[in-house]
Amino acid sequence: MVVLDTSIVIERVKNRQEINENITGVTFVEYPGIVRYKRFYGNVLFPTFEDILLAHTIQISLLKIGKPKSFADLLIASICINNGEELVTRDSDFLDIAKVSDLKLKFIP
């Protein structure tokens, strides 16, 4: 399946498009209006302890190359990796995360 990053979700809502893809608990918090959006048919993948541990491991790898990322982005990536999901995003920070992890990424410039 596919997970949409927050920016993609906001864009879809503004354009009144259906959202059949999943989102993470991060998007659920960053964009609370999603719970009232009648055209959201995906699931919310909430973080687990394993996701937090993976986010920590990825951050260590990013620090080694001088490119640390925000906790929110690391958690989104970790949730996707641990659930075998591809992330769709416009956020270029995920390009660096994908370089040091198993993140499956569809980057839309």
Side-chain angles (χ1 to χ4, degrees):
M1 189 80 183
V2 172
V3 168
L4 300 181
D5 191 22
T6 308
S7 61
I8 302 293
V9 169
I10 293 169
E11 180 180 299
R12 294 256 187 105
V13 170
K14 284 183 180 178
N15 292 328
R16 296 185 177 150
Q17 297 173 314
E18 283 189 1
I19 299 174
N20 297 302
E21 299 87 352
N22 294 333
I23 64 170
T24 67
V26 175
T27 296
F28 180 79
V29 172
E30 288 180 333
Y31 188 63
I34 192 63
V35 298
R36 293 183 310 280
Y37 187 58
K38 293 182 187 226
R39 301 185 85 185
F40 173 61
Y41 303 109
N43 293 311
V44 180
L45 305 176
F46 289 100
T48 64
F49 182 68
E50 289 77 20
D51 296 327
I52 293 169
L53 290 177
L54 180 56
H56 178 263
T57 300
I58 294 170
Q59 185 76 303
I60 290 170
S61 297
L62 289 164
L63 285 166
K64 288 178 183 176
I65 62 170
K67 296 184 176 187
K69 302 300 174 203
S70 72
F71 177 67
D73 287 352
L74 292 165
L75 194 55
I76 289 169
S78 297
I79 292 168
C80 290
I81 293 166
N82 284 336
N83 284 280
E85 304 263 350
E86 178 183 45
L87 177 65
V88 178
T89 186
R90 291 187 185 281
D91 184 344
S92 62
D93 284 342
F94 287 101
L95 295 171
D96 292 328
I97 293 171
K99 288 178 187 173
V100 300
S101 71
D102 293 329
L103 178 63
K104 294 181 247 172
L105 185 65
K106 181 177 181 182
F107 179 71
I108 302 172

